Amino acid sequence: MVAPSAGSSGELPPTVGSWPSELPGPEPESAEGLIGIDEVQKALNRSRASVYRYTNTDPRNLNPPFNPRKLNPEYRTDQKEALLFHPNEVARFARDVLRIKEVTVEVLNSPSTATQQLLSSILQELQAIRHSLQGIDHPPAVLSDKRDQLGQSRPAA
């Protein structure tokens, strides 16, 4: 996922697409290309609660009419369906209502964490041990045989 750039410049990541010259028309009933609440939250750099407040929903009406001051979800057939949004609608809302002016592309690579570094060093050590074991000509001795030998040679306490 592309993260919004830091700062107060009001920039949107490319997940919202380009700015449409007109409002998008109805889309085919396909969920391809639609984004969920989490992606909208990241794209707008707003809290989940804010995204729900922006959304054009009504408990009495499953698909309320278009509201230019709200974020309009795609058509739903059941109240329990997740809210999905067309990227152009998110872009329209960001431009017209939130007054976000620019779209920029910024790909962030996650930095290596201490856990990842520790796991990497453990993997290297295990690979070194395996390499050492593969270099041994004779198999390791059976431990029970060694224990029996040591047990007979030691006097009882």
Side-chain angles (χ1 to χ4, degrees):
M1 178 73 191
V2 177
S5 60
S8 60
S9 63
E11 298 174 341
L12 274 178
T15 56
V16 295
S18 61
W19 300 118
S21 58
E22 296 179 11
L23 295 177
E27 291 293 317
E29 293 190 26
S30 164
E32 290 183 34
L34 301 180
I35 58 176
I37 288 287
D38 293 333
E39 290 85 7
V40 173
Q41 175 187 347
K42 290 175 185 172
L44 297 178
N45 197 21
R46 299 292 195 271
S47 71
R48 188 178 191 91
S50 293
V51 173
Y52 277 113
R53 277 194 304 270
Y54 298 148
T55 303
N56 184 17
T57 57
D58 183 359
R60 297 171 306 241
N61 185 357
L62 183 61
N63 294 299
F66 179 83
N67 182 344
R69 303 299 303 159
K70 294 278 192 173
L71 180 59
N72 297 283
E74 288 296 305
Y75 180 80
R76 296 186 298 164
T77 57
D78 185 17
Q79 193 77 21
K80 294 179 182 177
E81 284 183 31
L83 291 172
L84 296 175
F85 303 88
H86 192 279
N88 287 342
E89 171 61 14
V90 177
R92 181 211 57 85
F93 178 78
R95 182 194 66 216
D96 296 348
V97 178
L98 298 180
R99 304 282 186 228
I100 297 174
K101 293 180 173 70
E102 298 179 24
V103 175
T104 60
V105 176
E106 183 178 359
V107 178
L108 302 175
N109 293 329
S110 62
S112 180
T113 64
T115 303
Q116 289 171 329
Q117 292 171 353
L118 178 63
L119 288 172
S120 178
S121 64
I122 290 171
L123 177 62
Q124 289 174 354
E125 190 171 336
L126 286 171
Q127 288 171 339
I129 291 170
R130 180 181 213 168
H131 181 70
S132 296
L133 287 175
Q134 288 175 343
I136 297 176
D137 291 335
H138 55 83
V142 179
L143 292 178
S144 61
D145 294 343
K146 287 282 190 186
R147 187 176 41 217
D148 292 340
Q149 289 173 358
L150 289 174
Q152 292 173 359
S153 64
R154 281 190 355 189

